[in-house]
């Protein structure tokens, strides 16, 4: 039997978001995001607080109910902040290491199809990868060759939070099939992923860039090496 969504939690999120709606800020936010989905003009930190407070007041009874709640809030959203809140709810400890959340993230990535939604689940995917490295890394490798470039971006950014726990074999494996891609959001993601790992191991990143030479787009290369150049600059 399919688990029913927590309607009280959804109503609490929506009600609190509307209380903080700011039409002037909403117009600017919608223009900035180039979005057809309207905005309420609620700041991201406030959305996070609203989601956390609603989840504490109306806690999900099970991982299944949380998944159902997230998906219903996501699918029936009429404002961008409702979708942000749905993503925020996936951070609840109840599902932090639950591999059954992967299909939820896939739906968010595919149907959200924009950088703020895709990047919003990056930390969650990283957490699942750390908890289930063998199974999740196999899935992420598949994503890196998906026809949907947002899925490929999610694969590339899946270890942004990993730092010293980064699986460099996996990092290389998801970047390499995308080196020739001309899509801006892929080129930027490659540079971003490498730049973040350069904070932990600049030598590995520099060697990766050198090894791939002209195959790497200039934007990706520049972003990857930016922190390394600053690190080496005389103080």
């Amino acid at each position: 039997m399919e688990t029913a969504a927590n309607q009280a939690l959804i109503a609490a999120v929506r009600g609190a978001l509307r209380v903080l709606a700011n039409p002037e800020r909403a117009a600017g936010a919608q223009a900035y995001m180039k979005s057809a989905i309207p905005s309420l003009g609620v700041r991201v930190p406030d959305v996070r607080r609203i989601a956390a407070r609603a989840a504490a007041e109306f806690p999900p009874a099970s991982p299944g109910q949380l998944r159902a709640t997230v998906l219903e809030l996501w699918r029936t959203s009429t404002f961008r902040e409702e979708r942000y809140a749905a993503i925020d709810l996936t951070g609840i400890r109840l599902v932090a290491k639950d591999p059954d959340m992967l299909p939820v993230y896939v739906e968010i990535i595919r149907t959200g199809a924009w950088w703020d939604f895709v990047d919003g689940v990056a930390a969650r995917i990283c957490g699942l990868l750390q908890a289930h490295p063998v199974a999740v890394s196999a899935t992420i490798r598949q994503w890196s060759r998906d026809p949907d470039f947002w899925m490929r971006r999610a694969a590339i950014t899946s270890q942004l939070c990993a730092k010293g726990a980064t699986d460099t074999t996996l990092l290389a494996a998801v970047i390499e099939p995308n080196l020739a891609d001309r899509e801006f959001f892929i080129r930027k993601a490659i540079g971003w992923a490498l730049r973040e790992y350069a904070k932990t191991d600049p030598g590995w990143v520099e060697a990766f860039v050198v090894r791939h030479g002209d195959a790497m787009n200039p934007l990706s290369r520049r972003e990857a090496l930016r922190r390394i150049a600053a690190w080496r600059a005389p103080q």
Side-chain angles (χ1 to χ4, degrees):
M1 180 183 295
E2 185 174 334
T3 303
N6 186 330
Q7 298 297 336
L9 173 52
I10 291 173
V13 167
R14 286 185 164 143
L17 286 174
R18 280 157 179 75
V19 168
L20 292 184
N22 183 317
E24 184 177 351
R25 191 181 299 124
Q30 188 172 358
Y32 172 73
M33 293 306 304
K34 300 179 174 63
S35 170
I37 304 174
S39 173
L40 285 165
V42 181
R43 298 183 187 277
V44 169
D46 290 328
V47 176
R48 289 178 180 149
R49 282 191 287 270
I50 286 168
R53 188 164 57 242
E57 187 174 358
F58 303 102
S62 67
Q65 186 179 65
L66 178 58
R67 286 192 294 274
T69 302
V70 167
L71 288 173
E72 180 159 336
L73 180 56
W74 176 268
R75 291 167 179 170
T76 61
S77 63
T78 53
F79 294 97
R80 203 165 198 89
E81 289 87 347
E82 291 175 338
R83 289 194 153 189
Y84 292 159
I87 292 173
D88 289 334
L89 290 174
T90 67
I92 294 175
R93 186 177 299 178
L94 184 66
V95 294
K97 297 182 179 181
D98 185 351
D100 288 339
M101 288 299 293
L102 274 175
V104 176
Y105 300 139
V106 169
E107 178 165 338
I108 288 172
I109 294 163
R110 290 196 188 280
T111 62
W114 199 239
W115 64 266
D116 55 339
F117 298 139
V118 176
D119 298 349
V121 298
R124 312 289 193 256
I125 294 166
C126 187
L128 289 180
L129 177 60
Q130 298 302 311
H132 309 279
V134 175
V136 177
S137 63
T139 297
I140 289 172
R141 284 172 183 264
Q142 292 175 352
W143 291 1
S144 72
R145 297 176 181 273
D146 196 278
D148 184 344
F149 74 81
W150 292 114
M151 292 301 303
R152 288 186 276 119
R153 180 178 172 94
I156 293 164
T157 61
S158 64
Q159 295 193 85
L160 287 175
C161 306
K163 299 182 180 179
T166 296
D167 178 345
T168 54
T169 300
L170 176 61
L171 181 59
V174 298
I175 290 175
E176 287 168 350
N178 293 285
L179 285 173
D181 199 299
R182 298 185 61 82
E183 168 58 51
F184 170 79
F185 288 106
I186 292 296
R187 291 183 285 139
K188 195 73 172 178
I190 290 171
W192 185 17
L194 291 171
R195 186 177 74 241
E196 282 300 302
Y197 188 56
K199 297 176 185 177
T200 298
D201 191 343
W204 187 93
V205 171
E206 189 170 36
F208 181 90
V209 172
V210 169
R211 184 165 69 252
H212 290 286
D214 293 338
M216 182 174 287
N217 182 274
L219 171 61
S220 301
R221 186 186 308 112
R222 183 169 61 251
E223 288 293 307
L225 297 177
R226 188 167 52 158
R227 289 190 178 275
I228 295 173
W231 172 62
R232 284 184 168 168
Q235 302 298 314

